[in-house]
Amino acid sequence: MELFKRVKIINFMEYSKWGLAASTLLVIACLGLIFFKGFNLGVDFAGGSVAQVRFVKNAPIAKIRHAFNEAHFSGVQVSAFGSEQEVVIKIPVGKVHKDLSTEITKILKPLGQFEIRKLDSVGPKVGDELKKKGVLSLVLAILAMMLYVGVRYEWRFALASVIALLHDSLITATSVIVFDIDLNLEVIAAILTLIGYSINDTIIIFDRIREGMLTKRTNDLDYVINEAISSTLTRTLLTSLTVFFVLLVLYVFGSKILVGFSLPMLIGTIVGTYSSIFIAPRVAVLLGFDLERYHGNELKKAKKKQEKERLRRQYEHGRV
């Protein structure tokens, strides 16, 4: 399926100058948010308990907070969850009781009829272990991608794809701070999924660029890149829009529990598509990739291959 019957070569490399400048400012802003505000760790990583409670009538959030304070549960966070009748109660790790369900029922009983729909508890040791494993999984995933693209491409293109990958991961991770989402296992799963999606999108474009460099004997690298991106634009847009609309439906109509996965993935899909087109190719050029030298190296490889083939044929006919 083609969105455009005739492929028009768009000067993406000209626009990518502005895209790179915008991304640089955005990355600085993300680092500032992480440094000055930081992530709000969810129960998965910080430890503690989370209770999802649904009242028959509208949940009296202020009274719930007061009731827990009266019961000497300091540091408890109470927030609406999806509807006016439902709330989420986050209890710090130091206040976890063995029979927490009974304690919550006792505290909330004077406030009206309700139902505890979900109650999760994570100890401090388990939370710390999950945090370490979450960070380790992200690092290993990025290292694996670095190894893969390092073998597949010339080192400048490989490094450019890794830089674009770090760019996407950083912006996606920081989005949870902007939208006040707890950093938990769902967010880590979203970032890991994005890493695979983003590198795949970049590789499709880089493969077409490499084909153009080998088949089109021109030393105008910008032209080769513009042609490669323009020819893959339909595929990129169709893939990205398909993923985007699925995630949008999941975000709008899914449970609020899924927001930690769906919202970062929505943002990551947009950022990943943008970086594959405007960031990764531009970075490869800035790293000093020389198309004329690349053609010279490929010519030397072809001559060596022909020489080996000639010697092999001579050996087979008993001439060597």
Side-chain angles (χ1 to χ4, degrees), residues 29-30 33 37-38 171 173-181 263 267:
C30 289
L33 273 174
K37 188 173 182 181
I171 294 175
T174 311
S175 68
V176 304
I177 300 177
V178 176
F179 292 97
D180 197 24
I181 299 173
L263 186 57
I267 296 168

Side-chain angles (χ1 to χ4, degrees), residues 60-218:
I61 295 178
K63 292 182 179 179
I64 294 173
R65 292 194 184 107
H66 180 71
F68 274 95
N69 287 332
E70 288 290 321
H72 304 292
F73 276 76
S74 58
V76 172
Q77 299 178 13
V78 183
S79 57
F81 188 79
S83 68
E84 294 181 352
Q85 291 80 30
E86 205 157 350
V87 294
V88 165
I89 303 170
K90 299 178 183 179
I91 303 172
V93 64
K95 299 295 182 179
V96 175
H97 294 255
K98 292 183 179 179
D99 194 3
L100 188 59
S101 178
T102 303
E103 288 287 335
I104 293 174
T105 302
K106 181 180 177 181
I107 293 170
L108 298 181
K109 190 174 181 180
L111 302 181
Q113 293 183 340
F114 63 90
E115 172 193 5
I116 300 177
R117 307 188 71 181
K118 185 180 179 182
L119 179 59
D120 294 327
S121 296
V122 177
K125 291 184 178 180
V126 175
D128 187 58
E129 184 179 348
L130 288 174
K131 182 167 60 177
K132 290 178 180 177
K133 287 184 176 180
V135 173
L136 181 62
S137 64
L138 289 175
V139 172
L140 290 178
I142 292 175
L143 289 176
M145 295 302 173
M146 290 174 62
L147 178 63
Y148 171 68
V149 296
V151 172
R152 187 179 178 95
Y153 296 105
E154 197 269 350
W155 72 268
R156 292 173 182 83
F157 276 87
L159 182 57
S161 64
V162 172
I163 291 174
L165 195 63
L166 293 172
H167 163 274
D168 301 343
S169 302
L170 177 64
I171 294 175
T172 303
T174 311
S175 68
V176 304
I177 300 177
V178 176
F179 292 97
D180 197 24
I181 299 173
D182 290 344
L183 182 63
N184 51 30
L185 292 176
E186 286 81 6
V187 175
I188 298 297
I191 297 174
L192 288 172
T193 306
L194 170 68
I195 288 173
Y197 172 83
S198 180
I199 199 68
N200 177 70
D201 213 18
T202 303
I203 283 173
I204 294 295
I205 294 175
F206 277 6
D207 274 346
R208 188 60 63 91
I209 292 173
R210 183 169 59 181
E211 290 174 10
M213 290 191 299
L214 293 175
T215 57
K216 303 269 192 316
R217 291 297 177 177
T218 174

Side-chain angles (χ1 to χ4, degrees), residues 11 13 219-227 282 285 291:
N11 194 355
M13 291 302 288
N219 291 326
D220 188 351
L221 181 57
D222 285 1
Y223 176 81
V224 173
I225 293 175
N226 288 333
E227 186 181 42
R282 168 56 63 181
V285 173
L291 188 53

Side-chain angles (χ1 to χ4, degrees), residues 4 6 46 95 102 110 190 199 301 307-308 315:
F4 312 107
R6 294 182 61 186
K95 299 295 182 179
T102 303
I199 199 68
K301 289 180 183 178
E307 182 64 19
K308 288 182 180 179
Y315 177 79

Side-chain angles (χ1 to χ4, degrees), residues 252-266:
V252 174
F253 298 104
S255 169
K256 196 169 181 180
I257 297 175
L258 301 175
V259 169
F261 177 82
S262 59
L263 186 57
M265 272 298 296
L266 269 174

